[in-house]
Amino acid sequence: MSAPRILIYLLRRDLRLADNPIFHEVSRLAKQSQPPFTHLLPLYVFPAQQVEVSGFLSSPDAKSPYPQARSQAGGFWRCGPHRATFLAETVWDLKTSLDGVGSGLELRVGMLGDVVRDLLAAFKKTDGQVVEVWMTNEEGVEEKREERDVRRLVEAEHIKFKLWVDEKYLIDDRDVPLKSPKDLPDVFTSYRKMVEPLRDAPRATLPKPSTLIPLPPSSMTPTQSSPFTIPSNLDDLVTALHKPLEKDLGLKNPPTQPKGTESAHPFHGGESAGHERIRHLVTSGSMTGYKDSRNGLLGEDFSTKLSAWLALGCVTARQVHQSLVEFEDGTTSLGKGVTGYGKGENKGTTAVRFELLWRDYMRLCTRKFGPRLFRVSGFRDDHSVSWSYASDKNPVTQEKIRRFLEGTTGTGLIDASQRELYLTGYTSNRARQNVASFLAKHLGVDWRVGAEWYECLLADYDVSSNWGNWQYVAGVGNDPRGEGRVFNPVKQAYDYDPQGEYVKAWVDEARALGEVGEIFQPWTVPPDRRQELGLAGREGVERPLKRIEFHVKGPGRGRGGGRGGDSGRGGGGSGGGRGRGFAGRGRGNSDGRGQRRRGLMEKGA
């Protein structure tokens, strides 16, 4: 019998079986009379620089060879409990799917280069021959370092290495009309016009393979290197990822769950759950109504909430697009009877594609600007802002950051969002915009503190979307208005939470208040009423971080200083006083097809 010829597939953020070009190609090659591989080894590595792996240590006395996976500006864990759970569920779902088609998924922890080096060395001691190593291209400084390390190790062993195009985005890299990353326009609208019409742009999806070639024999496959061990079930995997994380993530006064409030993101990770979500969005009419509902704050269906699955590659943007086309054309029964079925593209489905393209664009910005994605000066290389840094010894700065993280700033919309984020791993697009603006523009704190906190806590964290959009709001990214765009979170609350329902849902001390102005700024409650309302002594009431002047002139209308009344720097609400999000982004067409840039952060749409 000839020696096994092994293909190793290193998975990162391409955690799906369907519409996966690598699994599709392996399935195709296996049908040849003389296939180039006899065995496939799909491998996922929990990366030690991004995910804390000390919970996988084999004994209490063992020590990790890697430094803690903490962020640079704020010192936060880079992968907190919500995303760790979603990631574990995603990996396990893929493992189950691969088992079902005759393959499997091996799990490891460490730096990708270390794992590959140990793997190749161990296989050399067996009868198995590793003939090729494949992985998918990803954007990001660390991701590119991984690709270089793996290529160098593999080619040094005279093994073929192939880096595949990342096909989880709306428009395939091979169809992007740019000769070089530097040719990417610095304004989204310009890029959008280059690739429209969006309904015609994506490539077709690839089918799910029905069978794959098997794993190498277990007796031949090297195990996890010391001092780590790999759990044998999902529950133990989640436990290992959570074990090193402090219960309160280092917060002195962490938020507590308000009675009766439910998460807007009660979802599980994995390809299976992602596709179930797509089906629900179509059949519930949420895709059709997306443009009108996407600025909501409460509930599961005001936005698609596909972003967590898109970020890990559980589903692809072109799979979402395909579902939209089938609904618009009425070619399948999915969504039959729902408003818009079989009637072509509508404003809701158009808006979903628009937001999917925004994810594409942020990723291309990462490719263009590289490490500037993570620098305080941003894409603009702007050194003009005098930021307050987390490393400052100034107690005022430290208090700002602490209360921002804990959700006790005294501004209702900000506090509600921060508490929701901490407790659930999610907060809405509209809230994210206001939170980012509050930290960077109202408090003057290094925007990277917020970006890192989101990286830690968001279940739907995506490196390009998160960091690129924090830059955008902070004024150092590719927002044409830069420093001039300031959100007034009080006006935004009046516009998008007119009854204060969202703030009261997450800020339980606000539930005793009836006047929306007091709900949005509890420090305006007169001192003689604070005791009876249970507000006396609360930081946000007694010492708000920012007193933002805003006076209601009519339903949903008002005026006030953009940075807060005490700064004297007006600007109205967001978007130059309109309070409508990123007014100006994508509005260039006179025919009305351009849309305001309402999406942000992990918008999946």
Side-chain angles (χ1 to χ4, degrees):
M1 181 181 294
S2 60
R5 294 173 57 80
I6 301 166
L7 166 65
I8 297 176
Y9 172 17
L10 303 174
L11 291 113
R12 292 187 293 175
R13 299 189 191 105
D14 44 356
L15 300 175
R16 65 188 180 278
L17 185 55
D19 200 22
N20 184 316
I22 291 183
F23 285 133
H24 179 74
E25 179 67 2
V26 171
S27 178
R28 187 189 70 80
L29 292 173
K31 298 172 183 177
Q32 295 181 349
S33 58
Q34 292 184 321
F37 321 112
T38 60
H39 296 81
L40 169 67
L41 180 61
L43 177 69
Y44 180 80
V45 178
F46 291 93
Q49 78 277 29
Q50 297 175 350
V51 177
E52 179 55 35
V53 297
S54 58
F56 292 88
L57 290 169
S58 56
S59 73
D61 298 327
K63 293 185 178 181
S64 174
Y66 303 109
Q68 290 186 331
R70 290 188 179 271
S71 64
Q72 292 185 349
F76 311 128
W77 292 111
R78 293 192 59 190
C79 182
H82 305 297
R83 185 155 59 90
T85 299
F86 198 92
L87 174 60
E89 292 170 344
T90 294
V91 168
W92 211 262
D93 181 74
L94 179 60
K95 186 178 189 308
T96 302
S97 295
L98 287 169
D99 289 343
V101 293
S103 182
L105 180 65
E106 287 289 313
L107 305 181
R108 298 290 185 271
V109 298
M111 298 292 285
L112 193 57
D114 293 345
V115 172
V116 170
R117 182 181 60 247
D118 293 347
L119 202 61
L120 295 180
F123 267 123
K124 288 174 69 174
K125 300 176 183 178
T126 72
D127 293 332
Q129 180 186 6
V130 176
V131 292
E132 292 195 37
V133 176
W134 293 353
M135 64 191 299
T136 301
N137 168 63
E138 293 279 355
E139 300 302 329
V141 173
E142 294 171 331
E143 290 74 11
K144 291 304 176 191
R145 186 179 299 121
E146 286 178 335
E147 291 164 13
R148 290 193 299 269
D149 289 347
V150 171
R151 179 186 291 274
R152 183 175 63 253
L153 288 164
V154 169
E155 292 182 346
E157 296 294 332
H158 305 290
I159 297 170
K160 185 178 179 181
F161 174 80
K162 182 174 181 179
L163 190 64
W164 286 69
V165 172
D166 188 356
E167 297 189 29
K168 64 174 171 281
Y169 293 91
L170 187 66
I171 300 180
D172 192 280
D173 273 358
R174 292 159 291 193
D175 301 326
V176 171
L178 302 170
K179 293 182 179 180
S180 154
K182 67 180 181 180
D183 296 330
L184 178 72
D186 289 339
V187 177
F188 170 73
T189 306
S190 300
Y191 175 68
R192 173 179 57 80
K193 292 178 180 179
M194 295 173 67
V195 295
E196 288 182 325
L198 297 185
R199 195 176 191 272
D200 301 333
R203 293 192 177 193
T205 60
L206 300 171
K208 174 183 174 180
S210 57
T211 59
L212 288 171
I213 55 178
L215 291 169
S218 57
S219 59
M220 181 180 296
T221 304
T223 59
Q224 168 69 51
S225 298
S226 178
F228 303 106
T229 56
I230 301 299
S232 59
N233 59 71
L234 174 58
D235 288 343
D236 289 347
L237 180 59
V238 172
T239 298
L241 290 167
H242 283 214
K243 184 177 179 179
L245 311 178
E246 305 97 340
K247 179 181 178 182
D248 299 328
L249 296 180
L251 298 187
K252 181 180 178 182
N253 301 298
T256 56
Q257 182 68 36
K259 185 177 180 179
T261 298
E262 298 181 354
S263 173
H265 198 277
F267 307 116
H268 295 286
E271 182 178 14
S272 303
H275 283 285
E276 179 57 37
R277 178 63 179 170
I278 295 173
R279 287 190 291 270
H280 168 77
L281 291 168
V282 173
T283 58
S284 67
S286 297
M287 290 295 202
T288 299
Y290 172 74
K291 189 174 190 296
D292 295 327
S293 68
R294 60 182 173 176
N295 279 301
L297 298 170
L298 283 169
E300 295 180 20
D301 292 345
F302 63 81
S303 65
T304 71
K305 298 185 176 67
L306 291 172
S307 46
W309 293 291
L310 288 165
L312 290 175
C314 307
V315 300
T316 66
R318 64 190 186 190
Q319 286 177 320
V320 178
H321 165 77
Q322 176 178 295
S323 294
L324 295 179
V325 170
E326 291 172 350
F327 170 75
E328 292 163 343
D329 292 348
T331 54
T332 70
S333 61
L334 188 67
K336 188 174 183 179
V338 174
T339 300
Y341 176 81
K343 295 183 179 179
E345 191 172 25
N346 59 57
K347 66 178 183 179
T349 56
T350 296
V352 171
R353 291 188 177 94
F354 179 91
E355 299 300 346
L356 292 172
L357 185 68
W358 178 254
R359 295 181 69 89
D360 282 21
Y361 179 69
M362 283 288 95
R363 175 217 182 204
L364 294 174
C365 286
T366 298
R367 180 179 297 173
K368 176 177 181 177
F369 293 108
R372 283 159 65 179
L373 181 69
F374 307 102
R375 294 175 184 165
V376 70
S377 55
F379 296 159
R380 291 172 176 263
D381 199 24
D382 185 350
H383 298 272
S384 66
V385 183
S386 297
W387 300 103
S388 295
Y389 294 98
S391 58
D392 291 348
K393 302 299 182 181
N394 186 335
V396 174
T397 299
Q398 295 302 315
E399 181 182 9
K400 286 181 180 179
I401 293 174
R402 175 185 65 80
R403 290 175 59 186
F404 171 79
L405 301 180
E406 294 175 353
T408 57
T409 68
T411 300
L413 180 60
I414 305 305
D415 292 343
S417 177
Q418 287 295 84
R419 297 184 197 189
E420 179 187 25
L421 171 68
Y422 176 86
L423 293 166
T424 72
Y426 178 82
T427 191
S428 73
N429 159 53
R430 176 57 52 179
R432 296 183 200 198
Q433 298 177 65
N434 280 274
V435 167
S437 181
F438 186 83
L439 181 69
K441 300 288 183 66
H442 290 270
L443 300 184
V445 172
D446 176 4
W447 61 270
R448 297 173 301 171
V449 171
E452 290 180 355
W453 189 238
Y454 272 24
E455 177 181 12
C456 173
L457 286 176
L458 282 172
D460 64 4
Y461 169 77
D462 173 272
V463 60
S464 297
S465 295
N466 184 68
W467 287 84
N469 281 300
W470 269 91
Q471 284 198 20
Y472 184 98
V473 179
V476 297
N478 49 6
D479 177 5
R481 294 182 54 188
E483 183 68 14
R485 191 185 305 277
V486 182
F487 285 75
N488 183 322
V490 182
K491 183 183 189 305
Q492 290 274 295
Y494 273 103
D495 285 345
Y496 299 104
D497 189 26
Q499 305 303 316
E501 294 177 353
Y502 172 70
V503 174
K504 288 191 292 184
W506 293 105
V507 182
D508 52 0
E509 64 266 28
R511 294 179 178 184
L513 301 173
E515 205 281 312
V516 290
E518 294 179 344
I519 294 171
F520 300 150
Q521 297 197 101
W523 56 268
T524 61
V525 175
D528 60 351
R529 292 178 52 223
R530 294 177 184 177
Q531 188 68 43
E532 63 180 275
L533 295 171
L535 300 176
R538 292 186 177 271
E539 284 183 314
V541 177
E542 307 292 353
R543 295 182 293 108
L545 290 182
K546 207 72 177 177
R547 298 175 186 265
I548 299 175
E549 298 296 335
F550 185 79
H551 309 286
V552 177
K553 298 180 66 178
R557 300 290 180 181
R559 59 186 299 176
R563 287 183 180 265
D566 56 343
S567 72
R569 294 184 65 177
S574 68
R578 290 181 177 269
R580 303 296 294 173
F582 286 148
R585 178 174 290 277
R587 296 178 66 190
N589 290 353
S590 61
D591 62 1
R593 291 177 62 200
Q595 301 178 44
R596 289 171 178 163
R597 174 67 215 142
R598 296 170 191 257
L600 183 65
M601 306 306 176
E602 308 310 321
K603 207 58 177 135

